[in-house]
Amino acid sequence: MSRCWAGLALVVLAVAAPAAHGQFGLGGRSAPDTAPTAVSPASPRAAVQAFLERANAGDWDGAAEYLSVPAAERDRSQTLARRLKSVLDQRVAIDVQQLSPLMTGDTLDGDLAGDRLAVITRRDGHEDPVRLTRVSGPPVRWVFSTVTVSQVDAWFNALGAPWIRERLPQTLLSEGPFNVYWWQWIGLGIALPVLVLLAWVFGALLRSLMGRVARSTVTDWDDILLENLRGPFRLWAAALAATPLFALLQLNPRVDGFLEDLSRGLWLIALFWGLLRLIRIVQTRLQNAAWETGQGAQARTLVPLLGNFLRVTLAIIALLVALAQFGYPVGTLLAGLGIGGIAVALAAQKTVEHLFGSVSLAADKAFRVGDWVRAGTTEGEVQRIGLRSTSFRTMDRTVVRVPNGRLADERIETFGERDRILLRTDLDVTFDTTPEQLTQIRDALEAALRAHPHIWQETVRVNIVAFTDSAIRLNVVSWFQTTDWNEFLRIRHDMLLQFVQIIREKGSSFAFPSRTVYHVTQPGQPPAPVDG
């Protein structure tokens, strides 16, 4: 199950990564397109795409063409384009697919004079819009507005903590991978070990505080719980400290959003990891309590089955919570599953059948782990009852796995449910045994059985039941009050030896298959019998 939980952790972290793209737009995750729209080359979307492409290629003259630069600032056009690109990289997460593809722009946003690309919030809380305006041309095109261009220098000077910019060399103020400054990369390298240290210290303090409360209680389950939650506590503390620690670096929205989603994913992993540990602790406690009350065999069957069911349920809930936390439409997903439920049911009907078969076997208590069972053509000791199949250890020491769906429909004979074990055998004595000897043999056999300390006194039967071709048959039926098969084998061995001794003491013997053949030697003379 640890492998399964590790896989779930990877799924949660993987979900966190694509979720960051929700911050690339103006309003979070964009609604699905109902129909493709042709992109006009004179649209806001085409203008921003062209600006970004030329800026990424280092063509600052071409990028500056998409800026409405005042006449007094024309000689700084390239500088303003470069600075605007840095501001957009560091302060705005642009999703060009959300911009209008029409030449007229977005006419429904309330801004008839232009289109609003994003909003940049100052330290004092004032919001500065980043706007595009349409130039009538020729040619008709969209450019960053004059007001927006006039604020580029102020935005740029506020990037990346000004007090750090004043004290660092210019080399560390240049951008590295993912538009993250090199000084921020160094800060990330320092923040990771600091985060681990903070998680260890904070987790230890919290565990110590809760440990004092746990030691004051009478029960010991809370002490065991704290000991097993050591790992989840540390991961939770790391997720809690990550957001304020990384906020000091003032990363750009893309990286900052990714790290926020990642810390939230770690928090979810810590939560469900702790719940998984709680399930294991409760499972162990239930098994120990069952052994103390003499219900250990039943606990070995039901408790692991219940634990596995809770783990699978927890994994499904964790996945749904992760999807919901990162903005994915879980309701739509569940509705889609409902629509496709018939196809899923048809494809997984065997799996569902085996799952309900395991529930049926557990509810009926057909057998328990450790019981010797005969189910259909399979006979052996029950080794494990899983959610899909049950494993049997046969007399040949092989393991046979039978699907629970098929097993629930089989005729199941459980030897572990016996309250006593039957002894039934036939004793064949010779025909020359007299009636008096037969009566003595019968009484002696019954007396020997009733004298045994483990005999079930209510039913002991010794009777003549048939005359076979070569013997008089006595049938012996009795029960011994034991459920241990090995002990019964020893009892039966001793009793059969006594039966042999009794028959010999009464002057009789066991018959063996024989045949009398009459051989005619001469005509007219009676045949002489020949025994064979």
Side-chain angles (χ1 to χ4, degrees):
M1 193 62 196
S2 60
R3 295 180 180 177
C4 176
W5 196 253
L8 176 62
L10 294 177
V11 169
V12 173
L13 291 179
V15 170
H21 86 272
Q23 301 182 14
F24 291 177
L26 301 179
R29 199 176 301 277
S30 60
D33 293 332
T34 57
T37 303
V39 179
S40 171
S43 65
R45 182 186 300 183
V48 174
Q49 284 179 334
F51 171 79
L52 295 177
E53 289 173 358
R54 297 186 183 189
N56 291 330
D59 181 9
W60 299 112
D61 284 332
E65 295 179 0
Y66 293 90
L67 274 65
S68 179
V69 182
E73 299 285 338
R74 292 289 173 82
D75 57 337
R76 297 184 62 243
S77 296
Q78 295 185 15
T79 302
L80 290 173
R82 186 182 297 107
R83 290 191 170 189
L84 178 59
K85 176 63 165 57
S86 297
V87 169
L88 295 179
D89 288 338
Q90 297 295 321
R91 301 296 300 276
V92 180
I94 301 177
D95 184 1
V96 295
Q97 299 303 319
Q98 289 189 350
L99 301 179
S100 174
L102 305 176
M103 184 176 65
T104 57
D106 188 356
T107 59
L108 301 178
D109 61 353
D111 188 353
L112 299 180
D115 270 13
R116 178 174 294 192
L117 176 66
V119 172
I120 294 178
T121 304
R122 299 180 187 176
R123 297 186 182 279
D124 58 2
H126 181 75
E127 295 182 346
D128 295 330
V130 181
R131 297 179 64 253
L132 297 170
T133 58
R134 188 173 63 174
V135 179
S136 58
V140 177
R141 60 195 179 98
W142 287 78
V143 297
F144 289 93
S145 69
T146 303
V147 176
T148 296
V149 173
S150 65
Q151 295 176 314
V152 168
D153 289 331
W155 292 339
F156 180 79
N157 292 330
L159 290 179
W163 65 273
I164 293 180
R165 296 172 60 89
E166 296 174 358
R167 293 168 174 80
L168 292 179
Q170 190 63 33
T171 305
L172 297 181
L173 296 177
S174 59
E175 290 185 357
F178 304 104
N179 302 117
V180 176
Y181 293 123
W182 285 112
W183 72 266
Q184 292 174 330
W185 278 113
I186 295 175
L188 285 172
I190 298 175
L192 290 178
V194 171
L195 183 62
V196 174
L197 180 61
L198 288 176
W200 188 87
V201 172
F202 185 72
L205 290 176
L206 183 61
R207 196 172 60 253
S208 176
L209 178 62
M210 298 183 67
R212 293 181 180 178
V213 178
R215 285 190 294 270
S216 63
T217 60
V218 179
T219 61
D220 62 342
W221 69 267
D222 45 2
D223 301 279
I224 300 174
L225 180 63
L226 282 177
E227 183 63 27
N228 282 270
L229 292 182
R230 184 188 302 268
F233 264 139
R234 291 177 179 173
L235 186 59
W236 175 76
L240 192 65
T243 300
L245 182 62
F246 290 137
L248 297 175
L249 300 176
Q250 297 189 4
L251 300 166
N252 64 64
R254 293 177 178 84
V255 178
D256 186 61
F258 170 77
L259 292 178
E260 286 185 4
D261 289 338
L262 184 62
S263 63
R264 186 165 34 187
L266 293 176
W267 185 87
L268 288 173
I269 292 174
L271 173 63
F272 289 104
W273 187 10
L275 292 177
L276 181 67
R277 290 289 183 89
L278 179 62
I279 291 175
R280 189 181 68 179
I281 293 172
V282 172
Q283 178 178 336
T284 303
R285 298 283 292 187
L286 288 177
Q287 287 177 328
N288 294 337
W291 280 111
E292 293 174 359
T293 57
Q295 307 255 340
Q298 189 66 24
R300 284 193 299 167
T301 300
L302 294 179
V303 174
L305 185 63
L306 179 61
N308 291 334
F309 179 77
L310 291 178
R311 290 184 182 94
V312 172
T313 304
L314 182 63
I316 295 175
I317 294 176
L319 181 59
L320 293 177
V321 170
L323 293 174
Q325 286 292 323
F326 298 129
Y328 289 91
V330 177
T332 305
L333 177 63
L334 294 178
L337 291 178
I339 296 174
I342 297 177
V344 173
L346 291 176
Q349 58 180 342
K350 287 297 182 182
T351 301
V352 175
E353 176 186 353
H354 300 326
L355 176 61
F356 280 97
S358 64
V359 175
S360 175
L361 292 173
D364 293 342
K365 299 180 181 179
F367 47 76
R368 300 166 295 186
V369 174
D371 285 349
W372 191 270
V373 171
R374 182 186 295 125
T377 59
T378 303
E379 181 177 349
E381 180 184 357
V382 179
Q383 295 280 298
R384 176 182 174 274
I385 303 175
L387 290 177
R388 185 186 182 278
S389 63
T390 299
S391 301
F392 296 91
R393 176 78 68 177
T394 66
M395 287 290 293
D396 295 331
R397 307 305 297 164
T398 61
V399 176
V400 177
R401 294 175 178 85
V402 182
N404 289 332
R406 194 183 77 186
L407 191 61
D409 294 333
E410 294 281 1
R411 175 183 177 272
I412 300 175
E413 184 178 1
T414 306
F415 296 95
E417 295 291 334
R418 293 184 296 195
D419 56 350
R420 50 186 179 270
I421 301 179
L422 173 67
L423 170 64
R424 179 168 56 193
T425 186
D426 292 328
L427 303 177
D428 292 344
V429 297
T430 59
F431 274 110
D432 58 1
T433 306
T434 64
E436 292 78 8
Q437 290 175 319
L438 288 173
T439 301
Q440 294 173 4
I441 292 173
R442 176 196 173 282
D443 294 341
L445 292 176
E446 183 176 344
L449 289 170
R450 292 190 180 278
H452 196 279
H454 290 87
I455 195 69
W456 190 54
Q457 297 289 342
E458 293 187 17
T459 302
V460 177
R461 295 198 300 263
V462 182
N463 300 292
I464 298 175
V465 294
F467 295 99
T468 66
D469 293 339
S470 57
I472 302 173
R473 176 163 298 171
L474 289 89
N475 177 251
V476 180
V477 177
S478 62
W479 279 270
F480 287 90
Q481 294 176 322
T482 180
T483 58
D484 187 345
W485 179 252
N486 292 323
E487 182 181 13
F488 172 73
L489 291 178
R490 291 191 295 269
I491 293 173
R492 185 173 64 178
H493 174 82
D494 295 338
M495 295 308 304
L496 293 179
L497 288 179
Q498 290 189 47
F499 294 167
V500 172
Q501 184 178 0
I502 289 172
I503 291 175
R504 289 183 176 177
E505 288 178 351
K506 301 305 178 182
S508 182
S509 62
F510 288 99
F512 53 87
S514 61
R515 180 178 300 171
T516 301
V517 179
Y518 291 88
H519 179 66
V520 179
T521 56
Q522 292 181 3
Q525 294 182 355
V530 178
D531 293 335

